[in-house]
Amino acid sequence: DVKVTQSSRYLVKRTGEKVFLECVQDMDHENMFWYRQDPGLGLRLIYFSYDVKMKEKGDIPEGYSVSREKKERFSLILESASTNQTSMYLCASARDRVGSNQPQHFGDGTRLSIL
Amino acid sequence: QKEVEQNSGPLSVPEGAIASLNCTYSDRGSQSFFWYRQYSGKSPELIMSIYSNGDKEDGRFTAQLNKASQYVSLLIRDSQPSDSATYLCAVLNAGKSTFGDGTTLTVKP
């Protein structure tokens, strides 16, 4: 089974802090994704990566950055946390994009509160 | 128009009934289609994948795909209270999935 592990289930930070959310997958997947999920707004894609050191902006990248130094690890960074970034953050991974039809597999999520 | 649209819900069915969840998509180049189940406070869990027109059955779940109509559905037979969750439709094209907003299903004992 695919295992996607997010470093924290719950996290509380203060406005202005730099926040790191970590995600590790154990299936050698090329593709990794970060979403946030808010009531009434569904899943919104923040950033994704098709390979090590590659990143692409999703639909709502403002206020976020990412890092992918190793294939199995994809980090989401809130440069200067704000209260409107309070949300559930979900990491997902999938087999590579070339000719791929493989689904994404999600981690358990991190519920982040910014005070 | 959203790229992936689902029944607005919520949907309520009695225990033992058939629950029918619908999804339409706008990109004709879409290749693969998935249904995820998400319990409250949890992350989405993949329950069905379908890649070609027709029906695909897995236990009490049946996914139906009609690419000409750009329509995919999920039927849950003999619905159980444990099926109460939000169901997300996902459409895949070139390695990137687009998710619907979900339909919340409640199965009443």
Side-chain angles (χ1 to χ4, degrees):
Chain A
D1 279 354
V2 177
K3 183 68 175 176
V4 180
T5 302
Q6 294 184 231
S7 53
S8 306
R9 286 284 285 126
Y10 301 94
L11 204 54
V12 180
K13 296 291 182 181
R14 296 207 174 273
T15 303
E17 280 194 70
K18 191 169 187 176
V19 181
F20 294 85
L21 303 183
E22 306 287 346
C23 177
V24 177
Q25 48 91 8
D26 67 355
M27 286 302 292
D28 201 35
H29 283 171
E30 289 76 11
N31 300 348
M32 296 188 75
F33 308 83
W34 275 106
Y35 297 88
R36 64 178 284 178
Q37 188 175 35
D38 302 285
L41 296 177
L43 277 169
R44 292 184 290 170
L45 182 62
I46 304 171
Y47 267 97
F48 57 106
S49 170
Y50 288 140
D51 203 349
V52 176
K53 297 193 185 295
M54 291 183 65
K55 60 184 179 183
E56 295 193 37
K57 293 180 179 180
D59 300 319
I60 52 162
E62 296 78 19
Y64 302 94
S65 63
V66 291
S67 172
R68 193 160 180 206
E69 296 296 319
K70 293 185 177 182
K71 190 175 185 179
E72 67 271 18
R73 186 180 297 270
F74 192 36
S75 302
L76 180 68
I77 304 155
L78 285 66
E79 297 292 344
S80 178
S82 64
T83 55
N84 63 11
Q85 292 179 308
T86 292
S87 186
M88 169 72 98
Y89 288 86
L90 290 161
C91 175
S93 73
R95 189 62 65 192
D96 73 83
R97 66 170 171 163
V98 179
S100 170
N101 60 2
Q102 297 304 306
Q104 295 180 18
H105 298 270
F106 286 86
D108 288 339
T110 296
R111 189 164 293 281
L112 175 64
S113 296
I114 307 296
L115 304 180
Chain B
Q1 182 190 2
K2 290 186 177 180
E3 292 181 53
V4 178
E5 295 207 44
Q6 298 185 237
N7 317 56
S8 57
L11 177 65
S12 180
V13 300
E15 184 174 356
I18 296 175
S20 177
L21 304 163
N22 303 315
C23 174
T24 58
Y25 59 95
S26 60
D27 187 350
R28 286 194 171 273
S30 300
Q31 303 155 326
S32 309
F33 308 85
F34 309 103
W35 283 98
Y36 290 80
R37 177 177 61 201
Q38 187 175 22
Y39 292 116
S40 181
K42 303 294 187 181
S43 64
E45 171 194 11
L46 180 69
I47 55 171
M48 288 289 284
S49 305
I50 187 165
Y51 305 104
S52 55
N53 283 329
D55 295 359
K56 179 182 178 182
E57 188 174 317
D58 184 359
R60 295 186 296 110
F61 298 95
T62 299
Q64 300 174 317
L65 175 61
N66 183 325
K67 289 187 178 179
S69 300
Q70 297 174 242
Y71 175 91
V72 58
S73 67
L74 180 70
L75 299 178
I76 306 174
R77 290 183 303 281
D78 188 24
S79 295
Q80 301 297 308
S82 59
D83 295 325
S84 297
T86 296
Y87 290 81
L88 303 175
C89 171
V91 175
L92 179 66
N93 192 356
K96 187 179 169 188
S97 286
T98 302
F99 290 83
D101 288 343
T103 299
T104 298
L105 171 67
T106 301
V107 181
K108 296 189 174 181

